[in-house]
């Protein structure tokens, strides 16, 4: 289900951002700029990064997680997936009943499992989310007002969630210019994004690792053009973030790898046999599929 445009009635008195980088920083920047958030609290691991976030106008104050839990009306957790349990454990003893938690993690099944284990009955306050937007750049300086414009944001609401809480998170993302979609099953989300996001990154990283492993490959890297640039761009992403994504979505990733191995074996046999016609048909089918694909505008 796709939900429509921005709702100007949105107001978040105190917004908390844990991890004020590309995603968290852009979210806070937009809501501050549109005056939908009156005050923004920031927390994270790097004090210098947080001070930079203040200088850039992304947040108003640096606080500890415990203070954020006591003061914020909405808290966005924009940390690596593996840090979620630690973050929630620190928030939980101080969390107000009315505070809404949400995340921006690229996987959802594991995230929800961790949230249930840590939050217990307060799981009702956690609305799982995933903005489909990113960049090879990171940190507060990467934050942009247009990062989510016309991009998809996937929410996988839980049965325990208050519909009004889900609606508020929907409104916040719509205020960022995003198209919001709801998925009933977290497993469905993870299968989809293993295919269209996580596995492509895995392949790009494999290719870069392979090219960097020999002197001939390293020499070839100096001669790459636009095709090489476009194919490998995503391999420059955060190693910590992508490690956590691959581990969190390991089952779906392994399924993708098994299917890809079969396709690689098939096309290797065509090349080995010198089957020009079948190679042509394979390339033609792939080209048509790519030309028919349209990114959401």
């Amino acid at each position: 289900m796709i939900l429509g445009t921005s709702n100007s009635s949105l107001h978040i008195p105190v917004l908390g951002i844990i991890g004020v980088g590309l995603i968290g920083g852009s979210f806070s920047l937009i809501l501050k700029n549109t005056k939908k958030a009156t005050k923004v609290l920031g927390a994270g691991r790097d004090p210098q990064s947080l001070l930079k976030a203040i200088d850039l106008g992304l947040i108003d104050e640096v606080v500890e997680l415990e203070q954020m839990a006591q003061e914020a009306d909405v808290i966005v957790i924009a940390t690596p997936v593996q840090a979620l349990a630690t973050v929630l454990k620190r928030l939980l003893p101080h969390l107000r009943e009315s505070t809404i938690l949400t995340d921006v993690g690229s996987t959802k099944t594991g995230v929800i499992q961790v949230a249930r284990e840590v939050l217990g009955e307060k799981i009702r306050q956690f609305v799982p989310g995933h903005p489909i937007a990113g960049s090879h750049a990171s940190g507060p300086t990467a934050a942009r007002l247009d990062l989510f414009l016309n991009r998809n944001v996937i929410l996988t609401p839980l049965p325990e969630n208050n519909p009004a809480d889900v609606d508020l998170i929907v409104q916040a993302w719509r205020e960022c210019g995003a198209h919001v979609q709801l998925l009933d099953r977290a497993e469905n989300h993870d299968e989809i994004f293993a295919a269209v996001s996580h596995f492509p990154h895995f392949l790009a990283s494999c290719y870069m690792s392979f090219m960097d492993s020999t002197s001939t490959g390293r020499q070839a890297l100096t001669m790459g053009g636009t095709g090489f640039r476009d194919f490998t761009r995503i391999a420059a992403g955060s190693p910590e973030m992508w490690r956590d994504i691959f581990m969190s979505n390991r089952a779906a990733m392994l399924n993708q790898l098994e299917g890809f191995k079969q396709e690689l074996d098939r096309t290797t046999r065509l090349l080995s046999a010198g089957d020009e016609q079948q190679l042509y048909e394979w390339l033609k089918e792939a080209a048509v599929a790519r030309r028919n694909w349209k990114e959401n505008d």
Side-chain angles (χ1 to χ4, degrees):
M1 174 170 52
I2 300 178
L3 304 176
T5 57
S6 166
N7 185 332
S8 60
S9 67
L10 174 71
H11 178 233
I12 302 173
V14 181
L15 172 65
I17 304 290
I18 305 174
V20 193
L22 173 69
I23 301 295
S26 295
F27 187 85
S28 63
L29 179 64
I30 295 165
L31 294 191
K32 278 173 62 67
N33 188 69
T34 57
K35 303 189 186 307
K36 299 302 181 183
T38 302
K39 182 178 182 181
V40 181
L41 307 177
R45 297 177 301 179
D46 185 349
Q48 295 303 314
S49 179
L50 290 168
L51 291 176
K52 185 65 174 179
I54 290 181
D55 291 342
L56 293 170
L58 307 183
I59 60 176
D60 299 304
E61 182 182 349
V62 176
V63 298
E64 295 295 330
L65 296 182
E66 293 77 6
Q67 181 180 344
M68 184 180 290
Q70 293 169 348
E71 297 183 12
D73 300 288
V74 174
I75 297 176
V76 178
I77 303 171
T79 64
V81 173
Q82 296 290 72
L84 181 67
T86 300
V87 167
L88 291 178
K89 286 175 183 177
R90 288 185 60 185
L91 293 173
L92 180 61
H94 310 277
L95 194 63
R96 294 187 303 165
E97 292 290 330
S98 60
T99 300
I100 305 170
L101 303 172
T102 190
D103 78 311
V104 300
S106 180
T107 60
K108 293 274 77 77
T109 305
V111 161
I112 292 170
Q113 180 179 347
V114 168
R116 285 190 182 282
E117 291 172 356
V118 175
L119 294 176
E121 65 178 16
K122 290 192 175 183
I123 188 65
R124 65 181 182 277
Q125 295 175 238
F126 181 71
V127 181
H130 175 203
I132 315 304
S135 167
H136 64 277
S138 60
T141 57
R144 294 174 9 212
L145 283 169
D146 65 346
L147 184 66
F148 309 114
L149 185 62
N150 293 323
R151 297 298 164 188
N152 286 325
V153 171
I154 313 300
L155 301 183
T156 54
L158 307 176
E160 298 91 341
N161 286 149
N162 183 330
D165 292 348
V166 176
D167 185 59
L168 188 147
I169 300 302
V170 168
Q171 289 184 46
W173 282 115
R174 281 160 42 183
E175 191 64 42
C176 294
H179 303 299
V180 181
Q181 300 189 46
L182 304 184
L183 287 180
D184 294 332
R185 294 177 58 250
E187 295 82 1
N188 189 29
H189 168 280
D190 289 354
E191 291 162 0
I192 290 170
F193 286 97
V196 299
S197 175
H198 309 161
F199 191 60
H201 191 102
F202 192 90
L203 290 180
S205 297
C206 281
Y207 175 75
M208 286 303 303
S209 177
F210 167 67
M211 292 297 288
D212 194 45
S213 66
T214 67
S215 58
T216 301
R218 289 190 291 272
Q219 183 181 18
L221 291 177
T222 67
M223 304 177 190
T226 55
F228 169 82
R229 179 200 65 199
D230 293 345
F231 178 69
T232 60
R233 176 187 59 81
I234 55 177
S238 164
E240 180 183 22
M241 180 186 78
W242 282 102
R243 176 204 62 194
D244 291 355
I245 288 171
F246 293 155
M247 293 303 294
S248 179
N249 207 18
R250 183 167 48 177
M253 284 290 294
L254 289 172
N255 286 338
Q256 288 293 313
L257 271 168
E258 190 57 40
F260 185 79
K261 285 178 185 177
Q262 295 176 20
E263 180 68 2
L264 186 61
D265 288 343
R266 181 177 76 87
T267 53
T268 299
R269 288 193 297 270
L270 295 179
L271 185 61
S272 180
D275 192 332
E276 294 184 11
Q277 183 59 37
Q278 288 301 310
L279 277 171
Y280 171 80
E281 293 298 330
W282 167 65
L283 290 167
K284 179 181 176 182
E285 290 172 5
V288 169
R290 180 59 178 84
R291 289 169 189 152
N292 287 341
W293 175 77
K294 292 183 179 180
E295 186 177 13
N296 290 317
D297 294 325

